[in-house]
Amino acid sequence: MDKVVYNHLTGKTETTTLSADEQASIYIGFESLDKKREAYKLGLIKEIRLEKLMETDYYALQDVTMSNEMKTWRQSLRDLPANHTDEAAYDALLARDSDGNLTNSVWSKP
Amino acid sequence: MSSEIKADKWSPASGTSATIGDSGDTYTVPSGVTLNTSSATLTLPSTVITGQTEKTSLVDADKFLISDSAASGALKYVQKSNLPSGGLVHITSQAFPSANNFTIDNVFSSSYVNYFMMINMLNMTTDDTVDFVFVKSGTPDTSANYFITTSGRDQSSDVNDSGSSANFGRIFRNVDADTEAGASGTFHIYSPYAAYQRKHISGTTVTQRSTANNLTAIHTVSTYHNGTTQQFTGIKFQTNIGHNFRAGSVSGGYSSVSIYGVKNS
């Protein structure tokens, strides 16, 4: 990895290789950059999951009947972190088409 | 001198106008002579300004001629140093490199207390969030003294971030990698160089999270607080999970950043 620094006093931009410490500073608080990336993607998945659950919360109102399919789907959303545990699985969940729509069927409401 | 006219008054021989000399003649008013036109109507040639040499860079001691409305229109001059001059003073504009970090150093100084920063259509190579740390004479400050709040909404839901005692502040949240996407924002940077314990950045950003749709408007607030004063000289932009910026172009208007000093007066 490179470090790019523009110095306004000299007007020059220099590119040098990041030291080990500088590389480590990118993922402070995590075991590695890969682990930080996994946490980042899992965070995005949880945001989407929350959005999907909120969209269907009204089925849980007393005067509305929630179908078994809906119950199963909502539970599958809650189980996503337990059932998807690596970056490849996260990427599959976050995949979108060219219009920005999520493509993984797990997000499709029954 | 072949002859000298001595008279107390010149008047036209007839009518009300007369001419002095002919084209090409030069009349000189010698040093020490006073040519008093203070009560007359004096018509100057239209080239009195445009016929002079142009000066392209003003300095404080330069002077402007004015009619003083508080002194019956008396002619006076004003020094450039006394002209109202508050506003934004451009410091630098830089294109983001093809890297996951970009430091701009030696832009904060005692010259200004507060700064304005504009980031124009920052593109990513892969989806990522853009963070920052302050820099002091070349050394990034990654201490756990940053506090973050972002709050906004996209086309379907609220999007927020918060973090305390983080090792970085936040500029843009979750920028999409598509070449048609990107993030733009204007930020105010408060007291980065002032010898004061707290520094603030506030901004309004627009982040496009997917191709041709899903615009996210986010208000970003980051604070830095340290138990001791820090006089930061620069800012380092870094992606949260290590993906590269797309190389930008200042003239092209994408993936670029401009920093201005806020001049009070």
Side-chain angles (χ1 to χ4, degrees):
Chain A
M1 278 185 210
D2 288 336
K3 172 173 65 174
V4 184
V5 178
Y6 168 73
N7 185 334
H8 184 60
L9 287 182
T10 63
K12 292 181 179 174
T13 301
E14 292 187 350
T15 301
T16 54
T17 303
L18 280 177
S19 68
D21 283 348
E22 288 171 329
Q23 288 194 36
S25 73
I26 296 174
Y27 53 84
I28 289 175
F30 293 86
E31 183 183 324
S32 65
L33 184 56
D34 286 343
K35 292 295 182 188
K36 185 178 184 184
R37 192 174 289 135
E38 284 182 9
Y40 180 89
K41 291 180 178 178
L42 182 58
L44 295 178
I45 289 165
K46 288 179 175 177
E47 282 179 14
I48 299 168
R49 179 183 65 171
L50 177 62
E51 187 180 327
K52 299 293 182 185
L53 288 172
M54 288 172 67
E55 285 173 4
T56 55
D57 272 349
Y58 71 94
Y59 285 113
L61 294 173
Q62 264 190 335
D63 56 348
V64 180
T65 303
M66 183 182 288
S67 67
N68 287 333
E69 291 82 0
M70 182 61 72
K71 288 178 185 173
T72 302
W73 179 68
R74 284 168 59 91
Q75 185 59 50
S76 72
L77 294 182
R78 294 190 186 94
D79 293 340
L80 280 177
N83 295 332
H84 299 77
T85 55
D86 58 38
E87 192 173 353
Y90 298 156
D91 286 339
L93 289 172
L94 292 170
R96 293 177 184 267
D97 63 20
S98 60
D99 291 327
N101 300 309
L102 292 160
T103 55
N104 195 300
S105 60
V106 74
W107 303 116
S108 302
K109 270 184 276 190
Chain B
M1 183 179 294
S2 59
S3 61
E4 181 178 3
I5 299 173
K6 287 194 174 182
D8 293 332
K9 184 178 179 183
W10 292 357
S11 297
S14 62
T16 57
S17 65
T19 301
I20 300 174
D22 295 304
S23 175
D25 295 345
T26 300
Y27 289 82
T28 302
V29 180
S31 172
V33 173
T34 298
L35 184 65
N36 188 343
T37 61
S38 61
S39 298
T41 299
L42 183 64
T43 304
L44 297 171
S46 61
T47 56
V48 68
I49 293 176
T50 57
Q52 311 306 315
T53 303
E54 182 185 11
K55 185 174 185 181
T56 56
S57 180
L58 291 174
V59 297
D60 281 349
D62 288 344
K63 297 165 182 64
F64 298 83
L65 195 61
I66 64 161
S67 169
D68 187 351
S69 61
S72 303
L75 285 177
K76 293 185 179 177
Y77 70 81
V78 173
Q79 286 212 145
K80 187 260 185 184
S81 58
N82 288 321
L83 292 178
S85 58
L88 298 178
V89 180
H90 180 252
I91 296 174
T92 189
S93 292
Q94 296 293 319
F96 279 84
S98 178
N100 62 19
N101 64 88
F102 182 38
T103 298
I104 299 180
D105 201 8
N106 293 314
V107 285
F108 305 142
S109 68
S110 58
S111 297
Y112 311 101
V113 174
N114 300 314
Y115 295 82
F116 177 78
M117 178 171 73
M118 183 183 298
I119 296 179
N120 194 357
M121 283 301 297
L122 176 58
N123 292 145
M124 310 298 299
T125 55
T126 307
D127 295 5
D128 211 325
T129 285
V130 182
D131 300 325
F132 77 90
V133 294
F134 286 116
V135 174
K136 186 177 181 180
S137 301
T139 303
D141 185 326
T142 56
S143 59
N145 287 304
Y146 296 86
F147 298 77
I148 304 166
T149 301
T150 68
S151 178
R153 186 169 176 81
D154 65 15
Q155 290 173 330
S156 60
S157 61
D158 294 335
V159 286
N160 303 298
D161 268 344
S162 64
S164 59
S165 299
N167 304 94
F168 50 80
R170 181 141 295 165
I171 297 285
F172 294 118
R173 181 187 191 280
N174 193 17
V175 184
D176 192 83
D178 193 280
T179 53
E180 296 177 10
S184 301
T186 54
F187 305 87
H188 292 92
I189 307 172
Y190 305 92
S191 305
Y193 187 83
Y196 185 65
Q197 292 180 9
R198 187 175 288 275
K199 323 291 181 187
H200 290 168
I201 288 185
S202 64
T204 303
T205 69
V206 172
T207 305
Q208 192 155 8
R209 298 177 65 189
S210 304
T211 305
N213 62 25
N214 211 5
L215 272 176
T216 306
I218 297 182
H219 303 284
T220 301
V221 177
S222 285
T223 72
Y224 172 94
H225 185 262
N226 192 293
T228 59
T229 59
Q230 299 276 5
Q231 290 182 282
F232 293 119
T233 56
I235 187 168
K236 177 187 180 187
F237 306 102
Q238 57 191 33
T239 57
N240 188 269
I241 52 174
H243 297 122
N244 282 4
F245 308 116
R246 280 186 202 280
S249 162
V250 173
S251 59
Y254 58 94
S255 284
S256 64
V257 53
S258 294
I259 296 177
Y260 302 79
V262 178
K263 190 171 183 181
N264 293 331
S265 63

